[in-house]
Amino acid sequence: MLKLQKLTKTYKTGDQALKAVDLDVPSGQVLALIGPSGAGKSTLIRCINRLVEPTSGSVMLGDVDLTKLGAAALRRERRRMGMIFQEYALVERLTVMENVLSGRLGYVGFWRSLTRRYPQSDVDEAFRLLDRVGLVHMADKRADELSGGQRQRVGICRALIQNPALLLVDEPTASLDPKTSRQIMRLICELCAERGLAAIINIHDVALAQMFVQRVIGLRFGEIVYDGSPNGLTPDK
Ligand code: ADP
Ligand code: ADP
């Protein structure tokens, strides 16, 4: 479903963050991307939806090469990729419900919609998602009233309401305590299984990856140094 071919990123500073990375992700597969700080994990995730522009190589989503798209086509394809961030990236002064709905409409469309009514079907879907993650009673609370774990649940709902084919998840638990981290990882992996969603989860906590995913990609100095079962990992990898 997703295929990276010789994906390379060299930043203007000369940092070679990715060196000709090849990676195949079948539909429905959840994989964890691990590796030390600076290995290129974040760059890899961001090159897929072109928040970072790859230097060379291709990113095939189905039979579309995302690296070749113009702005309008890229916006369309990005709707098929949900993103979940380390720092949640919620709009603090909007409610939980509004934050979830912003995923449905896109940011610009969302602000336009404030002057209109939201389609009832979107509101219904937002309630269903919030119910699934245990936050339906918080729908009218402002985002800045939530705990970190609750915020990340909202971030998950906002990504899922796009009905994406692929989730890009960048350090979802880096700002959370260990217990909440496990809950959030479990939730992401369960939701992917329920929806047949593929996901790439950038996570520096190897133990968490081992608990929840079947395939781990180890990245080091911009190259894949491990691809396989989490059980095959040694502590220094
Ligand atoms: P992390 O290791 O958690 O991904 P960093 O602290 O390395 O985060 O980077 C924080 C931000 O700074 C990111 O947006 C990253 O892209 C950017 N960044 C990291 N390294 C450099 C660098 N050498 N020059 C410019 N920006 C950088
Ligand atoms: P990770 O997510 O594994 O910590 P990153 O993808 O953030 O790794 O970084 C990979 C390499 O690219 C590092 O050497 C980092 O300093 C560099 N880098 C990341 N972002 C930038 C940036 N915006 N500008 C320049 N160098 C960057």
Side-chain angles (χ1 to χ4, degrees), residues 218-231:
L219 207 62
R220 181 169 290 190
F221 300 123
E223 291 176 303
I224 292 179
V225 294
Y226 183 86
D227 182 353
S229 152
N231 304 322

Side-chain angles (χ1 to χ4, degrees), residues 5 50 57-69:
Q5 291 165 313
R50 285 175 56 190
S58 61
V59 177
M60 305 297 299
L61 183 64
D63 43 24
V64 179
D65 184 350
L66 300 179
T67 65
K68 301 263 190 298
L69 300 180

Side-chain angles (χ1 to χ4, degrees), residues 158-197:
R158 181 186 51 194
L160 290 179
I161 203 169
Q162 277 178 236
N163 198 18
L166 172 69
L167 272 187
L168 301 172
V169 190
D170 198 5
E171 296 279 5
T173 65
S175 308
L176 303 174
D177 64 70
K179 180 157 172 269
T180 309
S181 295
R182 283 194 297 277
Q183 290 169 342
I184 291 293
M185 267 301 274
R186 176 174 296 117
L187 188 58
I188 291 172
C189 293
E190 282 176 0
L191 284 163
C192 286
E194 286 167 21
R195 297 173 159 244
L197 253 177

Side-chain angles (χ1 to χ4, degrees), residues 195-211:
R195 297 173 159 244
L197 253 177
I200 300 180
I201 306 176
N202 164 3
I203 192 152
H204 67 266
D205 185 334
V206 178
L208 262 185
Q210 285 176 318
M211 258 181 261

